[in-house]
Every structure is written in C-alpha cells, then in structure tokens.
Amino acid sequence: MSQLKLSKETWSSQSIFILAAVGSAVGLGNLWKFPYITGEYGGSAFLLVYLLCVLLVGLPLLIAEITLGRAGQANPVQGMANLARENKASKLWSLLGLNGVLAAGFILSFYSVIAGWSGAYFVSSLQGNFISQDVATIQEDFSALLSSPWQLVFWHTAFSLLAVWIVSRGIKNGLEKAINILMPALFAILLILLGYVVASRGFEESVTFLFQPDFSKLTAEAVLVAMGHAFFTLSLGLGVMMVYGSYLNQQSSIVKASIWIAVADTAIALLAGVIIFSIVFGNNLDAASGPGLLFQTLPVAFSEMWGGWFFGTLFFGLVVLAALSSAISLIEPAVSWFEQNWGIQRNKAAWGFGFVTWVLGIGTVLSFNTWSDIYLFSDKTFFDSLDFLTANIMLPAGGFFMAIFVGWVLSKEKLKGELGLQERTLNQYRITLRWIVPVLVMIVFIYNLI
C-alpha cells in the first residue's frame, strides 16, 4: 500500500456542499420510490409518519455521518481508522467505512441500469413516442425494453460513462461544476412542472391526498416502510456524506447544513409527489400502481394530456438529472479511498472503479431477461440479491454502527468541537444517537429480514 496521501481539496463554500449533498440525496428515491410508496400506503397519513422518521432517524444520522467525515479528514475507510486511533478504539471500526464504500459500489452497479431506463424514456419522449399511445402499447414498450439486454447495456453504459467522467475531473472541476449545472436545472424543471399542474384538474385532489391525513389507512407496515425510506432517502450509511463531509471546511456549520439538506430533500420529494399525483389524478389513473408508476403509468398520462410531449420530455429529463447527481456521489467514496490510501490518480481510480461497477451491472441487466429464472438466494435474482444485500443489511448496519460510534466512542469534546452545540442540546443529541436511532434502525433491519 502506498503512503497515505490526504486530499487538500475542499468545497468552495458551504452552499456548494449543501447542493452536492442534496444532489446525492435527491435521486430515484425521491422521484420514483417516494411517490409510489406514498400512493400504496394511503397518502398523507403515511407522509406525516415519514416526516417524523426523518426528524428522529434521518437528521441525527446525517449530522453524525458528516461529523465523522470532517473529524476524520479522509475517505470513509481511513477517516474511521483515524478516529478509532484518536479515541483509543478498535481498528475494526475502519470496516464501517469499508462497508460504505462497498455498498455504494454495489448500489451504483444496479442504480445505473435503472437510471438508464430514465435515459431511454427521455429520448423516447423527445421523439414523440408516447403521443396518443394506449395503455397496452406503453406497457408492451416497457416490457420490450427490459427484455432486450443490448438496449439495457447501451443505456447502462451511457449513464455510467457520464457519471465516471464527471468524478474523474476532481472536486472543483468535476463535482462542483456538475452540481452547479445539475441542481439549478433540476429545481427549474420542478418549478415548471409545478406551474403546469397547479392549473390542472388533478392538483386539488393531489394536495388533498398528500396533506389531508387519513389515519384509518395507516398500518404497522406503513410505519416501518416510512422509517426505512426516511433512512435511505438521505444517502445514509454509504460513506457518501462522510467523504463529502471530509471536504467541508471548519468554518461551516454541520448542523445547519444537515437541516438544509434534510429540508431540501423532503421538499423535493413532496414537490415530486404533488406533480406526479396531479398528473395521475388528472388523467383518472391509479395512485397505488406501485413501482410501475414512473415508467408505465405516467407515460399513459403524457400520451393523453395537453402538452404531453413537452412536459413528458421535461419530466424524464428531471429524472435523468436527479439520478446523475446521485450516481456521482456513489463513486466518490471509493475514488477518494484509492487516491488517498493507494496512491492511484483520481482519473485512473474513477475509471477503474467505474469499469468494475459497470461489469457488475451486467448481472442486473441480465436479471430482467436472460437470467430472470436464475436465483442466487431463495427466490431472488442477481439484481434482487444485490438490492436486498445493500438495502436490508449493509445500509442499516452502516447507520447502526455510525450512531454507536458517534454516540458512545467519539469523545464528547470532539463532538462538541465539530458541532458547536450548547451543553444541553449536545447531551440530547448524544442520547438520541445512543438509544433512539439504534433501536429504530434495528427495528427496520429486523422487519426487512423477516
């Protein structure tokens, strides 16, 4: 192993850091998963529980992960090793950082495949392929996309190349420049779509669905799903916020930045929900249509609505931008580790890691067609197995042990120095990390394994 070489690059400002972190958090989870699980579990009552879970689990863990990054002053693996040594703890804590790096790589391998679908739909909408198409035809087109390995490999490759190229250019020339383009464009498209749906016939029903509580539809399963999504939506346990935190200067407030990130991520998810459900209800479609909501239900609406070509293309462009901002963040933890600990130049590290995740992604591509009847664990395809491993084991484990380390191992003086909180508030935060967060994460972990 080469001599440790820490990166001296930092974010230009706290605002850029917040935009980058929001870009990581905002992805397919906000525009794809959040709307459909909200639809499946009854809307507004589910939303209230979700917001409470963000406050109790998501925000405390987000603060903890960024704190570990800035305090460790290195990539997730080396940063945890540094902090373990400073606090006279076991060297095995570095495995927490390695868990995040590996989880990010596994997720990127199939995330780029799913994100590739949005690229295919963007081009398809741009070409006018959704105009005047019936439900059966749109569903057949989606099935045809999934059954074609070559189409999926093409879009998987195109998306991967773009994400890796951005990361290979460094913090200021790559990540910052991309974020300065992606995030304003994402916000602009959201506002344009919101402006359109406000005048649509489904807007009022959408707002009622999302913001008027109906607790009769709230089940124990819905509560657990809300808790799980609150954890995953902020990109926690992946080492992403840790490595982004390591580029944050000491003058920036971790607590304020974390609050802004959580608020922005939640607001974008809500805006996406209002937009999507307004289109769904305005076209008399089913809000509880599950994972197919984005790729099978919405194209039906775009095929029938006024301005469907323009707004459909705009919407899938939004999905591509959100997916790309998340993908580049998934590459960064591994690249920073290779660069700092192994002495590999960023450019080579990015392309090497990108190639490995691209190859792994071929397994996901084939899971939807050629390998659809090949199972690794029980009834799980290659894709299902990777998704289960990361979402149900690696990420909850990362969140659980981060809470334990910051709550029990990291010195109170170090934590206070990083967060700048008053004694009473600091004690309340440590209690939350010591008892509340680990218990809630463990509940979700056990539920997902049952």
Side-chain angles (χ1 to χ4, degrees), residues 19 29 40 81 94 138 149 194 203 243 247 257 296 302 306 325 342 362 444:
L19 279 179
E40 285 185 333
S94 62
I138 287 174
L194 181 65
F203 178 73
V243 74
Y247 303 140
Q296 295 182 74
F302 293 133
W306 175 85
S325 66
W342 299 89
I362 300 299
V444 173

Side-chain angles (χ1 to χ4, degrees), residues 90-111:
S90 170
K91 294 180 180 179
L92 292 177
W93 280 108
S94 62
L95 294 177
L96 173 58
L98 183 59
N99 175 76
V101 170
L102 291 175
F106 289 151
I107 290 174
L108 178 65
S109 74
F110 62 77
Y111 190 90

Side-chain angles (χ1 to χ4, degrees), residues 407-422:
W408 293 95
V409 180
L410 191 67
S411 70
K412 186 176 180 180
E413 292 71 25
K414 184 72 171 179
L415 185 60
K416 186 175 183 179
E418 291 292 338
L419 300 183
L421 296 174
Q422 294 182 349

Side-chain angles (χ1 to χ4, degrees), residues 233-257:
T233 189
L234 292 170
S235 295
L236 301 173
L238 291 167
V240 171
M241 295 303 172
M242 205 182 295
V243 74
Y244 275 13
S246 72
Y247 303 140
L248 187 64
N249 61 50
Q250 290 295 328
Q251 289 70 46
S252 299
S253 169
I254 290 176
V255 174
K256 288 180 181 178

Side-chain angles (χ1 to χ4, degrees), residues 142 168 189 409:
F142 183 63
S168 71
I189 293 174
V409 180

Side-chain angles (χ1 to χ4, degrees), residues 2-8 75 336 339-343:
S2 302
Q3 186 177 2
L4 179 64
K5 178 185 176 183
L6 299 184
S7 172
K8 295 184 181 301
N75 61 78
S336 64
E339 184 182 26
Q340 294 172 14
N341 284 64
W342 299 89

Side-chain angles (χ1 to χ4, degrees), residues 17 62-71 241 245 248 254 258 261:
F17 163 71
L62 178 60
I63 293 171
E65 185 162 352
I66 296 173
T67 298
L68 289 174
R70 191 167 74 177
M241 295 303 172
L248 187 64
I254 290 176
S258 298
I261 294 164

Side-chain angles (χ1 to χ4, degrees), residues 3-21:
Q3 186 177 2
L4 179 64
K5 178 185 176 183
L6 299 184
S7 172
K8 295 184 181 301
E9 286 193 281
T10 59
W11 300 113
S12 298
S13 66
Q14 178 170 290
S15 299
I16 290 294
F17 163 71
I18 292 172
L19 279 179

